[in-house]
């Protein structure tokens, strides 16, 4: 299989019938452009991107993604208002980000199943910052695990995450409250 190292934005954008990907195709992928899997609602699998460092605008928005392992991701950004994981209704496993330092504004906005049948956990042991409304209306988020490096939680970061039962294990140095 090919060793893809760069994937531009919009590669699979709106491929709503896409149901599978060969995981070995992405083992050397270092750059994953914005909107790459946007709208791939039929894609029902866990993905592993061991080499990417940034998840950008709308990368998985509306995608059928069930879980993700991205071992080198440092930032999940949302610079133009398009949530990278917004509307991901099938997240049901653990999203593991061992190197993640920042989760952008509205990054996981409405990443939830309205029937509350799928639940997921975010594990980011060296996370430093969660920006405003990062998990807003994220009904399927049940557990959030971070380490002692978390310093800032933005206003409304977990607003309406009604099934969040565990936030581990401490309070950050700076809490912001929505206006």
């Amino acid at each position: 299989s090919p060793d893809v190292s760069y994937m531009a934005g919009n590669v699979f954008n709106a491929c709503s019938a896409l149901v599978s990907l060969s995981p070995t195709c992405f083992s050397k992928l270092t750059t994953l452009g914005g909107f790459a899997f946007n709208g791939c609602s039929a894609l029902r699998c866990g993905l592993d991107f061991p080499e990417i460092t940034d998840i950008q605008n709308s990368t998985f928005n509306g995608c059928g993604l069930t879980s993700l392992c991205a071992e080198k991701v440092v930032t999940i950004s949302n610079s133009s208002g398009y949530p990278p994981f917004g509307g991901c209704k099938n997240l049901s496993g653990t999203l593991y980000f061992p190197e993640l330092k920042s989760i952008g504004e509205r990054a996981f906005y409405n990443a939830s199943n309205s029937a509350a049948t799928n639940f997921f956990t975010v594990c980011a042991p060296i996370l430093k910052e969660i920006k405003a409304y990062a998990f807003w209306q994220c009904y399927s988020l049940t557990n959030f695990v971070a380490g002692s490096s978390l310093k800032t939680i933005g206003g409304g970061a977990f607003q309406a995450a009604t099934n969040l039962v565990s936030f581990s294990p401490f309070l950050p140095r700076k809490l912001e409250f929505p206006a």
Side-chain angles (χ1 to χ4, degrees), residues 55 68 70-71 73 76 85 95-100 108 122-125:
I55 296 176
L68 178 71
E71 296 160 9
V73 166
I76 297 175
F85 292 95
L95 303 183
Y96 182 57
F97 303 108
E99 299 295 321
L100 184 64
F108 288 85
V122 171
C123 183

Side-chain angles (χ1 to χ4, degrees), residues 70-128:
E71 296 160 9
K72 293 185 180 176
V73 166
V74 175
T75 58
I76 297 175
S77 58
N78 185 10
S79 59
S80 64
Y82 297 101
F85 292 95
C88 286
K89 309 263 184 233
N90 296 302
L91 291 173
S92 60
T94 297
L95 303 183
Y96 182 57
F97 303 108
E99 299 295 321
L100 184 64
K101 292 183 172 86
S102 177
I103 298 176
E105 216 172 281
R106 292 180 168 83
F108 288 85
Y109 167 68
N110 198 25
S112 58
N113 180 307
S114 60
T117 55
N118 298 330
F119 298 102
F120 71 96
T121 295
V122 171
C123 183
I126 65 167
L127 186 67
K128 293 181 181 204

Side-chain angles (χ1 to χ4, degrees), residues 161-173:
T162 55
N163 288 302
L164 181 64
V165 295
S166 173
F167 184 88
S168 180
F170 57 90
L171 287 175
R173 293 185 183 158

Side-chain angles (χ1 to χ4, degrees), residues 16-99:
S16 59
L18 180 66
V19 294
S20 69
L21 294 167
S22 171
T24 57
C25 284
F26 305 112
S27 64
K28 299 201 181 200
L29 188 69
T30 58
T31 303
L32 181 61
F35 292 84
F37 294 97
N38 180 64
C40 293
S41 56
L43 186 62
R44 302 261 196 292
C45 63
L47 296 177
D48 185 7
F49 294 103
E51 300 296 324
I52 62 169
T53 58
D54 183 36
I55 296 176
Q56 303 173 14
N57 296 316
S58 207
T59 302
F60 299 104
N61 190 40
C63 182
L65 183 70
T66 58
S67 65
L68 178 71
C69 184
E71 296 160 9
K72 293 185 180 176
V73 166
V74 175
T75 58
I76 297 175
S77 58
N78 185 10
S79 59
S80 64
Y82 297 101
F85 292 95
C88 286
K89 309 263 184 233
N90 296 302
L91 291 173
S92 60
T94 297
L95 303 183
Y96 182 57
F97 303 108
E99 299 295 321

